[in-house]
Amino acid sequence: MTLPTSLITAGAALLAASGAQVAGAPRVSGAAGARPVVVVASPALAADPRARAAIARAGAQLRVPRSPTEQLSVTHLFAARGATIVGAGLDRRVAVDPVAARYSGVRFVLLGERPGLARLRAALRAP
């Protein structure tokens, strides 16, 4: 490739990357001044209609990653946005520890692999 072609290619790549950054995930809901909450749940918890209803009533978002890599992606995204992350079945070594190290102010509430509905509701009530 020639220098002008390389510069045009690099510019196009930067433009595409910046557009993808702007178009990211939807904003986290929450009252003004309140810290938004996201529940990163295992498929088993997400399949429970009572759990889904509790999450919706709390005004929290629900994310159901399929792999530890997706868990890391979700926790990183919402930590960068200042959300409280309620985790059920998260791989702590992959999806929590590195994010907590980078974003020291983020609040994680880890519920374990198979939390009960009462424990989920309590975590959603805690500020």
Side-chain angles (χ1 to χ4, degrees):
M1 280 184 26
T2 64
L3 181 59
T5 306
S6 297
L7 290 174
I8 291 171
T9 303
L14 284 172
L15 183 62
S18 65
Q21 195 68 16
V22 170
R27 291 181 179 239
V28 181
S29 62
R35 185 174 215 158
V37 178
V38 63
V39 177
V40 184
S42 63
L45 181 65
D48 183 348
R50 296 171 304 159
R52 292 179 84 89
I55 293 165
R57 273 193 305 274
Q61 288 193 37
L62 174 63
R63 295 290 186 263
V64 187
R66 296 173 300 214
S67 69
T69 303
E70 287 182 9
Q71 291 177 9
L72 173 61
S73 178
V74 170
T75 56
H76 185 270
L77 172 70
F78 286 98
R81 293 178 176 199
T84 294
I85 300 168
V86 177
L90 288 179
D91 184 326
R92 184 178 188 107
R93 184 183 57 81
V94 173
V96 176
D97 292 343
V99 175
R102 180 162 184 188
Y103 298 96
S104 59
V106 70
R107 180 168 180 259
F108 281 95
V109 180
L110 302 177
L111 303 177
E113 188 65 33
R114 297 184 186 271
L117 188 59
R119 198 159 170 218
L120 172 65
R121 287 181 178 147
L124 291 170
R125 280 192 301 269

